[in-house]
Amino acid sequence: MDARTNELPLEAEYEYSDVNHSQRSSARPSIGATDILETLRRSWRFPLYGFLIGLALAAVYFVTVPNPYKSSARVLVDRSMSRYLQNNKIVDQPTFDEAEVGSQQYVMSSDSVIVPMIRSLGLTRDSEFVGQPKMGGARISDYLGDIKKAVAGLFGVRVAPVDDPEAALERTAVEAISKRLTVTREDIANVINVAFESEDRAKAAKIANAIAESYVATTMSAKLTSTKVASQWLQDRLVELKKQAADADLALQDFRAANNLKTAAGGQEQRANLETQLANAQIAAAEAKSRLDRIRLRNGEDITTQMGTDALNNNAKAGLTSPGELFSLTNNELIRLRGQYRDVSARAADIESHVGDKHPIAVKIRRQADSLREAIQAEEKRIADSYANEYQVAKARETEIAATVSNLAGGTKAGSELRELESSAEALHKLYDSTLQKYKEINTIETETMPVQSARVITRAVPALSKNSKKGWAVLAGSMMLGLFLGAGAAVGKEWVADVFRTPKAVEQVTGTKCVVLPLVEAKSTPMEELVLDAPYSRFTEALRNVKAQIDTNRGVHGAKVIGIVSSLPKEGKTTVGANLAALMIAASGARTLVIDSDFHVRRLSAALAPDAREGLLEALENPTRLPWLVSRRQRSGLHVLPCVAPARIPNSAELLGSPMMAQLLSVARKSYDYIIIEIAPVMSVVDVKMIERFVDQFVFVVEWGETKRDLVLDALAEADIIRDRLACVILNKADPVAIQKIESYKGIKSGDYYQS
């Protein structure tokens, strides 16, 4: 036997038949943190190799890339001075807000700042930024124009002129400096840090200071330029507005002359007074109209007539006033009449309640109330007539003043046009005056007041005392961590692509059946079935007891005796599982147990348990009554084995296993044995299991830990429907003992003291 296997080595192997199957699950088992850690434990070489590769790359970086000096200058974007001058009306310049301060980082690293600095320091001739000179001190770019001219003369082709070599050098220097320049904002929002890296410590400080100073100068120059542009625009605008105002005045004068309208200031004042009187007359007419509408009904009739006597009596009984009160008409006479009417109505109501409305006194008082009501109606009519007269007078006054204003303006249409022309001319004059005032303020700021700086250098860069090592250490740490993570990712990815089973939970998720884990055991010189006898308290034996308990549970319910041991592929350990499960059944309860080797192709179980047998399954199929004489008996375990003895492979093995002779043989065996364990050829290799499955009561499916793929198990179960329906449990065989302990430790199971090797 091999040193690390649960199977006996044989030269014969099955060839897996690649068959398309209709039923295939797309769901993968879920992978948790414990599975990832276990994967990394098994594939620890991947993270280690990734870590070492990252370390090597970092070392190459340290050797090949020089470690430069780094110097920093700080620039303050000062908002306080501009805000003070603006609040005190000294200047009218906007201040930077938070978003604009952030945008200054990009301004500071732009070409508008870097290019002037390059020209002032002459960096286009610095080899650190534009490369080493070629061809005897001159650069290749200096000869680029001559080369193109030579090519044009040789082929007679006219080419475009070469770009200025100095401009090309300047562009190269800008790109090199931009890569070494770092502009960041400090903890204080309006402080910007300018850092530059160079192989020369003095040069790094010099360039950092030059960039900061160039930014300050560029900002001030931009302000002065914008002021000049604004001044010129205002000057042009003044000329335009002056011309427009003159044209508006001329058009107004021409219109007045054409319509014979007054042009003096007195005429304008007279028209303004008339317009005020017209507005007052319109207000008076509206008020008189409102009063008149309140005294009239919607149809122009008096409300007293429509309400009737009964309504008035009801109002009187309820203590309400006469209908005239609905219009809020108040004078002394009307108030007196209303009071009398309320009193008389109340008396009439009281008398009628005692003597009835036919009594002479009640009739007399009611007539008196009617007289008072007629008097109230007459008074209200008189007031309504007076309101109507007032409205007519106010309306006539309004019409008269409106006619006067219209005549003064020369007609409605002419007056409207005149007002439009006057308004347009007045607006143009006001706009011209405001623009002129703004132009004078800008010229005053430009010529008389000091320039307001919005940025200044608060810390100048000094030469660094040591090289910048932070970047190197960051590269080292990043490379090692990246390599470590890539290695770990490769390990997890390899496990995911492999798609094999390593935990019972994964098996149960895919198959929906209870899974029992069998650890990998060291092969010994003892017979195969005696592993459970040599180590009755081992984890291996305890796991098989779990399988037996599951079989016994189903047996108690269904009376199952025949148990089939199957697997997807060969060499997954079903022979060892079947032999030791049978030996455990005998040792545990003394049950009579028979093991049948039905694999006509390899006959592995027969070679291990009955190597000297000359007769077996074939003879038992021909004459089932000879079963007791064809069985081989193991000495120590007491196991009965029906071997499969044949000189060569049998082509009709599947037909034999599914024949009535097999049914008769199992019927005879059921009478003599408590358990009948049949080892069956792999499901995905041959079709034997499809023929014999109907004679089997329960199946135990063996899956090899870390080797059997998920798709193979699903295909095997899809191939044999009866196996899936009669599956007692799945055995995850040859599991790594350390992995089992990790799983139990994660679940909080501490059962190590119960197992002995």
Side-chain angles (χ1 to χ4, degrees), residues 539-551:
R539 189 185 293 271
F540 178 83
T541 304
E542 188 63 29
L544 286 178
R545 286 194 183 97
N546 194 356
V547 176
K548 179 180 179 298
Q550 191 70 22
I551 292 173

Side-chain angles (χ1 to χ4, degrees), residues 104-407:
Q104 297 306 302
Q105 294 178 247
Y106 300 97
V107 175
M108 197 171 293
S109 58
S110 64
D111 290 358
S112 61
V113 175
I114 295 178
V115 170
M117 182 273 300
I118 291 176
R119 293 173 180 173
S120 63
L121 298 182
L123 298 182
T124 55
R125 299 300 173 184
D126 194 326
S127 60
E128 183 178 354
F129 305 113
V130 296
Q132 296 293 336
K134 306 280 185 178
M135 300 183 181
R139 293 176 176 80
I140 296 179
S141 58
D142 297 337
Y143 297 93
L144 191 58
D146 296 336
I147 293 175
K148 284 194 174 183
K149 290 180 181 179
V151 172
L154 181 62
F155 294 97
V157 179
R158 187 174 183 179
V159 297
V162 184
D163 295 337
D164 185 7
E166 189 66 25
L169 291 176
E170 188 175 275
R171 187 70 255 167
T172 303
V174 169
E175 294 177 355
I177 290 173
S178 299
K179 293 179 181 178
R180 303 187 183 194
L181 177 64
T182 304
V183 181
T184 57
R185 293 179 68 179
E186 297 290 345
D187 296 336
I188 301 176
N190 56 337
V191 175
I192 300 177
N193 184 68
V194 183
F196 189 78
E197 295 179 351
S198 175
E199 299 175 6
D200 186 349
R201 67 179 69 188
K203 187 186 298 182
K206 183 178 180 181
I207 293 177
N209 290 327
I211 291 176
E213 293 169 354
S214 176
Y215 167 73
V216 174
T218 301
T219 304
M220 180 57 64
S221 176
K223 283 192 174 184
L224 294 176
T225 302
S226 62
T227 302
K228 291 179 180 178
V229 171
S231 176
Q232 182 62 40
W233 181 84
L234 288 175
Q235 186 176 359
D236 297 340
R237 181 62 175 163
L238 281 174
V239 174
E240 181 182 356
L241 289 175
K242 186 176 181 180
K243 183 178 182 303
Q244 291 178 357
D247 293 341
D249 291 339
L250 181 60
L252 179 60
Q253 293 176 5
D254 293 342
F255 183 81
R256 284 174 175 168
N259 292 274
N260 195 21
L261 299 176
K262 296 181 179 180
T263 59
Q268 295 180 357
E269 293 179 358
Q270 182 183 3
R271 190 180 66 183
N273 292 333
L274 288 174
E275 289 178 350
T276 303
Q277 294 178 14
L278 177 61
N280 294 334
Q282 290 173 345
I283 293 173
E287 292 176 349
K289 181 68 166 55
S290 176
R291 289 194 297 269
L292 181 60
D293 291 340
R294 290 167 59 191
I295 196 64
R296 290 179 175 176
L297 294 173
R298 295 176 183 174
N299 297 328
E301 298 294 336
D302 183 51
I303 192 169
T304 307
T305 304
Q306 292 189 1
M307 290 182 65
T309 304
D310 294 336
L312 291 173
N313 293 337
N314 293 334
N315 291 340
K317 292 179 181 180
L320 300 177
T321 60
S322 64
E325 290 184 282
L326 299 174
F327 307 112
S328 300
L329 300 177
T330 59
N331 59 29
N332 294 333
E333 181 64 21
L334 192 59
I335 292 173
R336 183 183 66 80
L337 292 174
R338 287 172 179 170
Q340 292 178 0
Y341 179 79
R342 281 195 297 268
D343 295 340
V344 171
S345 298
R347 288 175 54 197
D350 184 48
I351 292 173
E352 288 176 358
S353 64
H354 289 86
V355 299
D357 57 353
K358 303 299 183 181
H359 196 274
I361 298 177
V363 173
K364 180 179 179 181
I365 294 176
R366 181 59 60 192
R367 290 174 180 172
Q368 185 179 357
D370 293 340
S371 299
L372 290 172
R373 185 176 70 250
E374 292 175 357
I376 291 173
Q377 292 175 355
E379 183 65 18
E380 289 176 348
K381 186 174 183 304
R382 185 188 64 79
I383 294 173
D385 293 340
S386 66
Y387 283 173
N389 293 332
E390 290 179 3
Y391 173 68
Q392 293 176 359
V393 172
K395 192 66 179 176
R397 176 66 176 168
E398 176 187 356
T399 304
E400 180 183 359
I401 296 175
T404 304
V405 172
S406 178
N407 293 332

Side-chain angles (χ1 to χ4, degrees), residues 35 79 191 319 374-375 380 388 405 423 438 543 560 589 666 687 689 693:
D35 301 325
R79 295 179 288 179
V191 175
E374 292 175 357
E380 289 176 348
V405 172
S423 177
K438 191 69 176 179
S589 59
L666 292 178
V687 298
V689 68
E693 63 180 0

Side-chain angles (χ1 to χ4, degrees), residues 600 603 618 644-650:
F600 285 98
R603 303 178 294 279
L618 284 175
C644 182
V645 180
R649 296 182 62 176
I650 300 176

Side-chain angles (χ1 to χ4, degrees), residues 370-491:
D370 293 340
S371 299
L372 290 172
R373 185 176 70 250
E374 292 175 357
I376 291 173
Q377 292 175 355
E379 183 65 18
E380 289 176 348
K381 186 174 183 304
R382 185 188 64 79
I383 294 173
D385 293 340
S386 66
Y387 283 173
N389 293 332
E390 290 179 3
Y391 173 68
Q392 293 176 359
V393 172
K395 192 66 179 176
R397 176 66 176 168
E398 176 187 356
T399 304
E400 180 183 359
I401 296 175
T404 304
V405 172
S406 178
N407 293 332
L408 183 63
T412 303
K413 182 177 180 180
S416 176
E417 293 181 4
L418 177 63
R419 284 191 295 272
E420 290 179 0
L421 291 173
E422 290 176 344
S423 177
S424 176
E426 183 179 1
L428 288 172
H429 280 288
K430 290 182 178 179
L431 183 59
Y432 176 81
D433 293 339
S434 62
T435 306
L436 180 61
Q437 180 65 25
K438 191 69 176 179
Y439 175 74
K440 291 179 179 179
E441 292 176 359
I442 290 179
N443 286 339
T444 302
I445 294 171
E446 184 178 358
T447 58
E448 297 181 3
T449 64
M450 73 289 191
V452 180
Q453 291 186 348
S454 59
R456 56 192 174 91
V457 180
I458 57 174
T459 302
R460 295 185 62 82
V462 295
L465 299 178
S466 60
K467 291 186 176 182
N468 181 24
S469 60
K470 293 182 179 179
K471 184 176 181 179
W473 288 113
V475 170
L476 176 62
S479 299
M480 292 188 297
M481 293 302 297
L482 180 61
L484 184 65
F485 284 124
L486 288 178

Side-chain angles (χ1 to χ4, degrees), residues 91-112:
V91 297
D92 190 17
Q93 295 178 343
T95 59
F96 285 113
D97 57 13
E98 189 68 22
E100 290 177 342
V101 172
S103 67
Q104 297 306 302
Q105 294 178 247
Y106 300 97
V107 175
M108 197 171 293
S109 58
S110 64
D111 290 358
S112 61

